[in-house]
Amino acid sequence: MRILLLIITGLLLLGNQLLGQDKIDSKLLQEELEILGDIVIGISPKLSEEDRNQISKLIEQKKKTIEGKAMTSLEYFNFLAELDLPTQFDEHASIQVDEEVLTTLLKK
């Protein structure tokens, strides 16, 4: 009986995580993507003007791919994880945004 209860509880929690998130409007997601691009361009001292333009173009392309698509914060986080920007960072520097911070930013 205890195992059955644990399985049911686990399935309910998994379902809540996968299906219980609110969808976020694409306009807000695009604004957040633009802010992320501005941050990347602003914090890397090694970027040339050409690199900055390339990052801006990539951000604009990605903004177009999510136009009209509402996403959950987890879907958006996965979308950002696939984003490959030429930041010129070495292995000691990186940008890390955990899901809690991303969710907080998207709710503002």
Side-chain angles (χ1 to χ4, degrees):
M1 185 67 173
R2 177 183 255 178
I3 293 175
L4 180 61
L5 184 60
L6 287 174
I7 291 172
I8 292 172
T9 303
L11 289 174
L12 288 173
L13 289 173
L14 180 65
N16 184 41
Q17 283 297 104
L18 295 176
L19 305 172
Q21 295 185 9
D22 294 333
K23 295 277 186 174
I24 302 165
D25 185 51
S26 66
K27 295 228 183 263
L28 182 59
L29 298 174
Q30 289 173 325
E31 287 176 23
E32 294 297 326
L33 185 58
E34 190 170 330
I35 290 169
L36 180 64
D38 292 342
I39 290 170
V40 168
I41 290 171
I43 63 173
S44 182
K46 294 183 178 182
L47 290 176
S48 66
E49 192 61 35
E50 182 180 324
D51 293 332
R52 294 175 198 277
N53 289 336
Q54 184 181 7
I55 290 172
S56 294
K57 287 178 185 176
L58 285 171
I59 294 294
E60 288 301 317
Q61 288 173 351
K62 290 296 185 177
K63 282 173 53 177
K64 289 178 184 177
T65 63
I66 60 175
E67 190 170 334
K69 296 179 184 176
M71 296 181 180
T72 65
S73 58
L74 186 59
E75 290 170 335
Y76 188 63
F77 190 73
N78 289 334
F79 170 79
L80 291 178
E82 296 172 1
L83 192 60
D84 187 24
L85 299 175
T87 59
Q88 304 291 332
F89 289 134
D90 61 9
E91 66 275 0
H92 297 92
S94 64
I95 298 173
Q96 295 179 348
V97 181
D98 63 14
E99 187 175 351
E100 182 179 330
V101 171
L102 183 63
T103 304
T104 303
L105 289 173
L106 292 174
K107 286 185 179 180
K108 288 184 179 182

